[in-house]
Every structure is written in structure tokens, then in C-alpha cells.
Amino acid sequence: MDFKKTAILIILLEIVMAVFAILNYGNTLEGLQALTRYSGRLSLGVFSIIFLLLPDRAELLSRLISTRPFHIFALTHGIHLIILLSYNGLSGNNLIPIRVAGGFIAYVIIMAMPYFHMRQERGIISLTQFKILLSIYLYFTWFIFFMTYLPRVQGQVTHVGGQYWEFVVLLSWVCIMMGMKLPVLLLRQTRSRPK
């Protein structure tokens, strides 16, 4: 899919979610909190496709999302970050330093990956170096999504809105993603072993 079309689709989805949040919760802080949740779930959806298809199914990923999937995810998660910061700024919630640190590192990786991808395409960094960066990107971002939903399911984070069953479903999906990825990793390791 063309990058521009996918980017427009993402922006339109964010607008639809904003309208949906306002219709359900009003033009309130609760509505902004709902939009933060919806936006995060869209980010998880985009990331899920990238996580499950890279590195082995890049051609299918290009057809589903874009030839620039890292740019699309950076855009999607960047919009989520703006909404999240707006909500936190207006709500006065206390931020947990360790969670902020992990999230900050993830955002740096997410925003840097389009740059590394372009450098790899231009031959400035090697394919091996890019694969190392890709592994860090995929698995650290996965871990951050996992750590987003685990405390919610455990009842440690209660001021985020949403229903308990939603968090169970989302954490289950994040775990299923890894369960789907592990057989592919094991198969790749088996094939790469010398005979």
C-alpha cells in the first residue's frame, strides 16, 4: 500500500476515534482518556502486523501497511504520544518514573527506526546491523506493550479507564503475538544451524 494512503487512513481513524470518544464521554477529560486508550489500541494493531510479519514477510507487510511500515508506526504512535501527554498534562496524574523511562526508550527506538531503515536501504548500514536494530525494535516495543497491560490486569493501575475484560483481552493478544512469533524464530534457528 502507498505510504500516503496509509498515513491518511491512520489520521482518519484517529479522527473517527476522537468523534467516538466525544460522543460517548463528552468533550471532557474522560473523553480525552478514552481517546488515549483508543489511540493506543490502534498503535497496538499497527505494531501487531509489523511484529508478526517482519523480517520474513516484508513483501506482505508492504502490501498491507506500506513500503515504509516504520514510518507508519512512528506516525501512529506519535499521535498516541501527543494525546497521552495532553491527557497526563490536563489530568495531573503522577507519572511512575520507571514506566516513563521504559516508555521513553521505546519512543526513541520507534522514532529512530524509520531513519535506520532509510540508511539500510541506502547501504549506509549493513543488513546485519539493521537486523540487530530490527530485533531490538520488535522485542523491546513488544515488551513495552506487555508491560502496559500486565499491571492493568493485576489491578496495579486503576486510574486509566476502560474495563477489566478489555485489559485481559489486550494482554492475551500481546502474549498470543509472542506465541505466534516463537515458532518462526525456532524454525529460522533450526534452518541456520550447520548440518
Side-chain angles (χ1 to χ4, degrees):
M1 189 180 281
D2 178 64
F3 169 78
K4 194 183 226 182
K5 288 179 185 173
T6 307
I8 290 168
L9 178 62
I10 292 294
I11 292 166
L12 287 174
L13 286 171
E14 295 282 0
I15 292 168
V16 168
M17 290 185 300
V19 169
F20 187 71
I22 290 169
L23 289 174
N24 281 315
Y25 299 97
N27 192 12
T28 63
L29 195 57
E30 192 177 1
L32 186 57
Q33 183 184 49
L35 179 56
T36 304
R37 288 194 311 273
Y38 302 156
S39 179
R41 290 166 192 177
L42 178 60
S43 286
L44 175 59
V46 172
F47 176 71
S48 298
I49 298 167
I50 294 169
F51 182 80
L52 292 171
L53 295 181
L54 285 181
D56 300 320
R57 315 257 336 252
E59 191 176 305
L60 178 57
L61 180 62
S62 295
R63 288 198 308 263
L64 289 176
I65 293 184
S66 166
T67 54
R68 302 254 177 249
F70 305 111
H71 291 75
I72 293 298
F73 184 57
L75 170 69
T76 309
H77 218 52
I79 292 170
H80 173 64
L81 176 62
I82 291 166
I83 297 166
L84 179 64
L85 291 176
S86 300
Y87 171 72
N88 278 326
L90 293 170
S91 67
N93 285 337
N94 291 329
L95 299 174
I96 302 164
I98 190 73
R99 295 194 71 215
V100 171
F104 175 78
I105 292 167
Y107 274 107
V108 168
I109 292 169
I110 290 164
M111 297 305 163
M113 199 60 182
Y115 170 75
F116 292 130
H117 186 231
M118 286 190 304
R119 289 178 68 83
Q120 188 272 320
E121 287 180 326
R122 293 174 185 160
I124 298 169
I125 61 174
S126 71
L127 185 57
T128 303
Q129 291 169 322
F130 181 73
K131 284 184 177 180
I132 292 167
L133 292 168
L134 178 62
S135 292
I136 293 167
Y137 170 87
L138 291 174
Y139 295 104
F140 190 77
T141 306
W142 177 89
F143 177 73
I144 293 300
F145 275 113
F146 178 80
M147 290 307 296
T148 296
Y149 295 114
L150 180 64
R152 287 164 170 77
V153 169
Q154 293 174 328
Q156 296 173 359
V157 181
T158 56
H159 61 281
V160 292
Q163 302 294 317
Y164 179 76
W165 68 266
E166 296 174 77
F167 304 137
V168 171
V169 168
L170 291 164
L171 179 62
S172 297
W173 170 245
V174 170
C175 292
I176 288 167
M177 285 167 52
M178 186 58 79
M180 292 167 74
K181 192 79 170 178
L182 284 176
V184 175
L185 290 172
L186 293 173
L187 184 61
R188 190 182 310 131
Q189 284 185 342
T190 304
R191 286 179 179 167
S192 66
R193 281 187 196 143
K195 296 181 179 177

